[in-house]
């Protein structure tokens, strides 16, 4: 690439939510411009304009593709070489192949060599694109190796990047369960932008020394890097910068497996906060060890313990002596009338139909094998301490939690507009209910959330009445059916300042997806609970609380404004983090109908709740749960860990595009808001 190309202002990554749309649109526009350029006479004004347009688009795409494995940096050098030699017809042909490979995702299944320009190479991309249209999605070929990308953070030269990439490529084996490609970045900022814009990245190898600053103008990182001093980061040691990068990657994409290659003192590194690294390599030049370690880590997330066990069970040549006529499909395979059921559903769903009493699998009520392991994996994925599968919906999940925690005459603060299952749960538990009113959104004919001021006012009234000890739980819907989301951390923090042991039940039936996006994750119950737990353990918070308490004690405690008009902080020595969330996995993630989960982050669960929780769980759970629902919950968790970031990200982009059209399209804004140039509240 010529020097002039690198001097073009880099503004393509100003808003990362639109990056995939920008990427696709720019490749298509480049293909269009090249087609027009080839048909123009050389040297004419129109041709010169098109050459400049191609230059700008190639420069923009080079920035975007710097964070993706395909097309590679070598591929881009090939594109620039054709452009600089003015071989526009050949460049158009290569770009068409490249675009087809991106659309068909053939790069996930085989190496695409853009230097090959023969008809056979082009036909392979065309065939892949057609096959995708026929199948609906390339992943429908279950025999294909799942593909991911490895991010390597190291200040490598161009030649070193080629060597490292080839070293990992050469380790590929047909028998590997996964296939991966390598993305290399050279700075702290580049690593963060890579994990934000490239959902294919599933593992990260942080190696040796790297600078903080990117060569690009990465304004998209401004929110994530707020409060960090560039000078301080540049002066940090290799270990400190690597650990900070690891922490920030974990905050953005906690599912990514991280590895550290260090040349520093092993003992000094081990004494630091290295909890987000799966493994540390010391001056490791053996790529084989790194290769197998990375594949093993990916496999740990890809496993579906119960679904795998159920599939193996369905293959067993077992004789049927079971009370269930449908077991192993015998009642339909031998039927003269019901065979069309197998024609519709297929045989596997019947071969996998069984119960705990027939042996070979696990019991949902007393799990010890694959169901137990699957629930542990779910806890990891959603950031909980414990997770439990529920096979008859979140209505039942809500009743389980309420019955486990609430005793007769306990006071529960609850949103009046909550799901009806909560009302029934209160009746079953014998609770005394204090209803809280949401604020109305009259323009949209719906209700929002319960204001924090209202919650604090209610707690304060019980405190002054001498009944605060009877208040057991705050139950709120997050998010509502209409998409209103609480600031969970703020609500929990201020309520705990009034009642330090208050239990929170967050009904997140429509919010299961939120754990897999860095924008939504901080508003989830499990993330807020874990964040507050870490915060209250820190010395920095103790100092903050002491300063706040001194100021607060100087005020009048009988004045409502003292409590209601100020932000409250809980006592770190008294506070207990006790949070529960219920998810309708079947609503926003992959699961069969009625597949739900309960997630727990309760410091007192083992000592005070576990026994009554299991009693409530057994009370509301069938002794004959649907194993297909359990398997779908297991697979849904795996999918969310492996590609949840990508899928949620795509929906965010679609929502932002729709909102942009509502803002800017005159016809739409008039019809939606009833006036020209209207805007949403």
């Amino acid at each position: 690439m010529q020097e002039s190309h690198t001097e073009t202002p880099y503004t393509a990554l100003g808003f990362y939510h639109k990056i995939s749309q920008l990427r696709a649109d720019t490749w298509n526009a480049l293909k269009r411009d090249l087609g027009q350029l080839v048909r123009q006479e050389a040297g004419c004004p129109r041709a010169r304009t098109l050459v400049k347009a191609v230059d700008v688009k190639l420069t923009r795409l080079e920035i975007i593709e710097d964070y993706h494995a395909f097309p590679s940096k070598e591929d881009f050098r090939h594109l620039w070489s054709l452009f600089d030699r003015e071989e526009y017809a050949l460049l158009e042909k290569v770009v068409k192949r490249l675009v087809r490979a991106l659309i068909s995702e053939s790069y996930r299944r085989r190496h695409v060599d853009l230097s090959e320009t023969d008809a056979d190479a082009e036909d392979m991309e065309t065939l892949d694109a057609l096959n995708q249209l026929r199948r609906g999605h390339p992943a429908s070929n279950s025999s294909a190796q799942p593909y991911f990308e490895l991010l390597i953070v190291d200040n490598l030269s161009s030649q070193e990047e080629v060597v490292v990439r080839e070293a990992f490529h050469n380790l590929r084996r047909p028998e590997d369960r996964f296939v991966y490609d390598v993305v290399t970045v050279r700075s702290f900022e580049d690593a963060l932008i890579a994990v934000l814009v490239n959902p294919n990245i599933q593992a990260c190898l942080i190696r040796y020394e790297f600078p903080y600053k990117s060569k690009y103008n990465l304004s998209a990182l401004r929110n994530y890097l707020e409060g960090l001093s560039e000078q301080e980061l540049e002066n940090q040691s290799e270990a400190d910068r690597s650990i900070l990068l690891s922490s920030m990657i974990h905050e953005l994409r906690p599912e990514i497996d991280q590895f550290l290659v260090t040349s520093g003192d092993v003992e000094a590194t081990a004494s630091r906060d290295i909890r987000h690294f799966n493994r540390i390599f010391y001056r490791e030049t053996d790529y084989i060890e790194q290769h197998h370690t990375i594949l093993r880590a990916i496999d740990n997330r890809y496993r579906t313990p119960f679904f795998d066990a159920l599939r193996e069970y369905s293959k067993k040549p077992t004789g049927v002596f079971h009370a269930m006529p449908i077991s192993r499909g015998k009642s339909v395979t031998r039927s003269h009338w019901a065979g069309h059921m197998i024609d519709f559903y297929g045989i596997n769903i019947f071969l996998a139909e069984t119960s705990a009493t027939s042996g070979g699998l696990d019991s949902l009520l007393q799990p010890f094998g694959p169901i137990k392991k699957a629930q542990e994996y779910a806890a990891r994925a959603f950031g909980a301490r414990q997770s439990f599968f529920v096979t008859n919906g979140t209505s039942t999940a809500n009743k389980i939690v309420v019955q486990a925690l609430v005793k007769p005459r306990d006071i529960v603060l609850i949103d009046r507009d909550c799901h009806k299952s909560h009302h029934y749960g209160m009746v079953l538990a014998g609770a005394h209910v204090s209803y809280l009113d949401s604020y109305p959104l009259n323009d949209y004919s719906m209700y929002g959330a319960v204001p924090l001021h209202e919650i604090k006012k209610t707690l304060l009234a019980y405190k002054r009445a001498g009944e605060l000890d009877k208040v057991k739980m705050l139950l709120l819907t997050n998010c509502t059916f209409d998409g209103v989301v609480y600031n969970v951390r703020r609500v929990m923090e201020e309520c705990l300042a009034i009642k330090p042991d208050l239990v929170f039940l967050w009904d997140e039936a429509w919010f299961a997806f939120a754990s897999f996006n860095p924008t939504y994750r901080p508003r989830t119950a499990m993330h807020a609970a874990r964040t507050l737990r870490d915060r209250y353990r820190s010395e920095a918070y103790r100092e903050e609380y002491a300063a706040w308490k001194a100021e607060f004690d100087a005020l009048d405690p009988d004045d409502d404004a003292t409590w209601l008009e100020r932000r409250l902080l809980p006592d770190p020595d008294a506070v207990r983090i006790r949070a529960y969330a219920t998810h309708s996995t079947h609503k926003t993630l992959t699961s069969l109908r009625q597949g739900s989960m309960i997630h727990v982050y309760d410091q007192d669960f083992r000592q005070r709740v576990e026994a009554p929780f299991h009693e409530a769980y057994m009370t509301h759970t069938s002794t004959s749960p649907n194993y297909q629902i359990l398997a779908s919950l297991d697979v849904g968790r795996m999918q969310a860990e492996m590609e949840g970031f990508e899928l949620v990200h795509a929906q965010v982009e679609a929502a932002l595009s729709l909102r942009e059209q509502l803002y800017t399209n005159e016809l739409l804004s008039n019809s939606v808001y009833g006036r020209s140039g209207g805007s949403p509240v």
Side-chain angles (χ1 to χ4, degrees):
M1 185 178 71
Q2 292 180 348
E3 185 65 29
S4 60
H5 303 310
T6 62
E7 296 172 356
T8 303
Y10 294 115
T11 58
L13 297 178
F15 189 36
Y16 88 90
H17 277 310
K18 290 187 176 181
I19 198 68
S20 64
Q21 179 183 334
L22 175 67
R23 184 189 189 197
D25 289 349
T26 307
W27 276 116
N28 287 323
L30 176 63
K31 183 174 68 172
R32 181 198 63 218
D33 289 350
L34 283 168
Q36 294 176 4
L37 177 59
V38 169
R39 293 190 293 273
Q40 297 291 324
E41 292 184 12
C44 72
R46 174 63 175 159
R48 288 195 295 270
T49 300
L50 287 168
V51 168
K52 185 175 180 180
V54 169
D55 190 334
V56 170
K57 290 180 177 64
L58 275 175
T59 301
R60 174 179 292 178
L61 285 166
E62 187 174 29
I63 302 171
I64 297 173
E65 301 303 347
D66 221 10
Y67 303 101
H68 298 81
F70 178 82
S72 67
K73 294 178 175 65
E74 296 92 326
D75 292 330
F76 253 93
R77 282 193 283 271
H78 179 56
L79 295 177
W80 280 119
S81 176
L82 295 175
F83 177 81
D84 293 337
R85 297 200 306 266
E86 299 183 5
E87 296 184 31
Y88 302 130
L90 184 55
L91 179 59
E92 181 197 17
K93 187 178 290 187
V94 172
V95 167
K96 282 182 176 179
R97 275 198 64 206
L98 196 155
V99 171
R100 281 197 296 269
L102 288 172
I103 293 172
S104 67
E105 297 186 325
S106 59
Y107 68 91
R108 302 175 73 97
R109 298 181 291 281
R110 67 169 183 276
H111 175 62
V112 178
D113 188 350
L114 295 179
S115 63
E116 296 177 354
T117 56
D118 59 350
D120 288 342
E122 293 183 44
D123 288 344
M124 291 186 73
E125 266 68 60
T126 303
L127 182 62
D128 271 335
L130 290 173
N131 285 337
Q132 182 184 3
L133 289 173
R134 291 191 187 103
R135 294 193 300 261
H137 194 280
S140 60
N141 179 8
S142 60
S143 63
Q145 294 167 295
Y147 168 91
F148 70 94
E149 293 178 8
L150 167 67
L151 176 67
I152 296 180
V153 187
D154 195 359
N155 192 17
L156 300 171
S157 66
S158 298
Q159 293 80 5
E160 288 172 329
E161 285 181 356
V162 173
V163 170
V164 169
R165 199 159 181 260
E166 287 183 351
F168 280 104
H169 275 208
N170 293 336
L171 292 171
R172 291 179 176 180
R173 296 292 182 269
E175 60 270 21
D176 288 339
R177 194 171 188 183
F178 312 99
V179 62
Y180 67 94
D181 209 338
V182 175
V183 182
T184 57
V185 296
R186 302 178 183 178
S187 74
F188 188 104
E189 287 188 335
D190 286 318
L192 294 182
I193 203 71
V195 301
L196 282 170
V197 305
N198 184 355
N200 286 331
I201 292 173
Q202 294 288 337
C204 177
L205 191 69
I206 300 175
R207 303 178 65 203
Y208 307 114
E209 298 178 355
F210 51 89
Y212 165 71
K213 196 71 176 172
S214 170
K215 64 180 179 181
Y216 302 134
N217 175 27
L218 303 179
S219 58
L221 290 179
R222 193 171 294 122
N223 292 337
Y224 299 104
L225 299 175
E226 187 176 356
L228 296 178
S229 166
E230 179 181 338
Q231 184 175 359
E232 289 178 5
L233 284 167
E234 288 288 8
N235 294 332
Q236 276 185 332
S237 68
E238 171 196 332
D240 287 338
R241 190 178 303 170
S242 297
I243 290 170
L244 177 60
L245 175 59
S246 171
S247 176
M248 295 192 71
I249 289 175
H250 181 80
E251 188 65 24
L252 295 172
R253 302 256 319 263
E255 77 278 8
I256 290 179
D257 295 300
Q258 298 189 64
F259 309 90
L260 176 65
V261 178
T262 179
S263 57
D265 189 316
V266 176
E267 290 77 10
T269 303
S271 65
R272 299 172 184 268
D273 183 5
I274 55 173
R275 55 183 163 168
H276 301 314
F277 289 113
N278 295 50
R279 181 174 174 182
I280 296 176
F281 299 96
Y282 175 65
R283 290 183 178 175
E284 185 60 65
T285 57
D286 185 357
Y287 291 111
I288 294 178
E289 186 69 16
Q290 294 177 9
H291 168 78
H292 287 296
T293 301
I294 291 165
L295 290 183
R296 186 177 183 85
I298 298 297
D299 185 60
N300 190 45
R301 283 189 287 132
Y302 184 66
R303 292 177 190 166
T304 47
F306 183 73
F307 181 54
D308 293 343
L310 193 64
R311 284 193 297 175
E312 289 302 313
Y313 173 84
S314 70
K315 298 174 185 176
K316 290 182 178 179
T318 305
V320 179
F321 301 95
H322 199 283
M324 295 164 50
I326 202 172
S327 185
R328 309 294 290 181
K330 299 301 184 184
S331 68
V332 286
T333 56
R334 295 174 179 176
S335 172
H336 297 292
W337 296 89
H340 56 292
M341 194 174 182
I342 281 187
D343 294 337
F344 183 75
Y345 284 109
I347 187 62
N348 283 338
I349 194 171
F350 299 100
L351 294 176
E353 183 62 39
T354 184
S355 73
T357 56
S358 64
L361 279 172
D362 200 356
S363 167
L364 179 60
L365 295 177
Q366 293 179 311
F368 61 89
I371 293 180
K372 184 175 187 293
K373 182 63 70 175
Q375 291 182 152
E376 290 172 355
Y377 283 13
R380 176 189 68 199
F382 289 93
R385 285 189 166 186
Q386 293 91 15
S387 291
F388 301 89
F389 291 170
V390 179
T391 58
N392 36 351
T394 304
S395 295
T396 295
N398 291 332
K399 294 169 194 170
I400 290 171
V401 176
V402 168
Q403 188 168 328
L405 291 162
V406 177
K407 300 189 296 293
R409 293 181 293 280
D410 280 348
I411 297 172
V412 177
L413 277 58
I414 183 171
D415 178 2
R416 189 183 302 276
D417 302 303
C418 66
H419 189 266
K420 60 185 178 182
S421 62
H422 295 297
H423 302 294
Y424 294 125
M426 296 299 138
V427 172
L428 290 172
H432 288 183
V433 180
S434 177
Y435 284 111
L436 305 170
D437 290 314
S438 311
Y439 58 81
L441 294 168
N442 295 323
D443 290 344
Y444 302 99
S445 301
M446 64 186 190
Y447 285 92
V450 178
L452 178 57
H453 184 278
E454 174 80 6
I455 301 170
K456 290 164 62 178
K457 184 178 180 181
T458 304
L459 285 172
L460 190 59
Y462 281 113
K463 179 181 176 69
R464 289 176 174 166
E467 294 187 324
L468 190 61
D469 61 308
K470 297 180 182 178
V471 177
K472 186 62 174 284
M473 175 187 289
L474 172 63
L475 196 163
L476 296 171
T477 304
N478 182 54
C479 67
T480 69
F481 181 80
D482 298 299
V484 177
V485 180
Y486 283 90
N487 184 339
V488 176
R489 174 176 163 178
R490 176 75 179 269
V491 170
M492 290 179 63
E493 189 158 56
E494 295 216 43
C495 290
L496 289 170
I498 301 173
K499 181 172 175 58
D501 62 344
L502 186 64
V503 180
F504 298 87
L505 171 53
W506 296 94
D507 183 340
E508 296 184 344
W510 291 94
F511 212 40
F513 68 90
S515 296
F516 306 98
N517 179 278
T519 300
Y520 294 119
R521 189 182 304 114
R523 296 299 182 103
T524 65
M526 294 298 101
H527 184 276
R530 186 171 62 256
T531 301
L532 290 177
R533 177 65 171 150
D534 292 342
R535 171 170 158 79
Y536 298 150
R537 283 176 164 179
S538 69
E539 286 300 320
Y541 177 76
R542 287 187 171 277
E543 294 175 7
E544 180 185 354
Y545 175 75
W548 174 87
K549 189 71 164 60
E551 184 180 340
F552 183 84
D553 288 345
L555 303 173
D556 181 4
D558 295 324
D559 185 357
D560 282 356
T562 301
W563 298 87
L564 302 180
E565 306 303 328
R566 299 171 56 82
R567 182 160 187 167
L568 307 179
L569 295 180
D571 182 348
D573 292 324
V575 70
R576 307 295 294 172
I577 302 300
R578 308 190 63 192
Y580 294 75
T582 54
H583 281 172
S584 289
T585 319
H586 65 94
K587 284 189 172 76
T588 63
L589 296 176
T590 295
S591 171
L592 294 177
R593 196 68 170 161
Q594 294 194 53
S596 297
M597 296 188 192
I598 299 170
H599 302 295
V600 181
Y601 200 104
D602 184 351
Q603 291 178 242
D604 298 333
F605 184 80
R606 296 290 187 194
Q607 295 79 16
R608 300 170 58 183
V609 183
E610 188 170 26
F613 182 91
H614 285 296
E615 288 297 324
Y617 190 82
M618 295 178 77
T619 299
H620 292 279
T621 301
S622 170
T623 55
S624 302
N626 187 308
Y627 277 19
Q628 319 314 320
I629 295 176
L630 292 174
S632 72
L633 287 170
D634 197 12
V635 173
R637 182 277 314 161
M638 180 275 291
Q639 183 189 25
E641 277 198 293
M642 302 308 298
E643 57 181 349
F645 174 80
E646 178 180 7
L647 296 175
V648 177
H649 186 75
Q651 295 306 309
V652 170
E653 285 192 331
L656 289 170
S657 296
L658 177 60
R659 186 172 70 175
E660 184 177 346
Q661 290 301 313
L662 291 173
Y663 272 121
T664 59
N665 186 291
E666 184 176 351
L667 180 62
L668 288 175
S669 62
N670 285 340
S671 62
V672 173
Y673 305 115
R675 62 188 186 276
S676 178
S679 62
V681 176

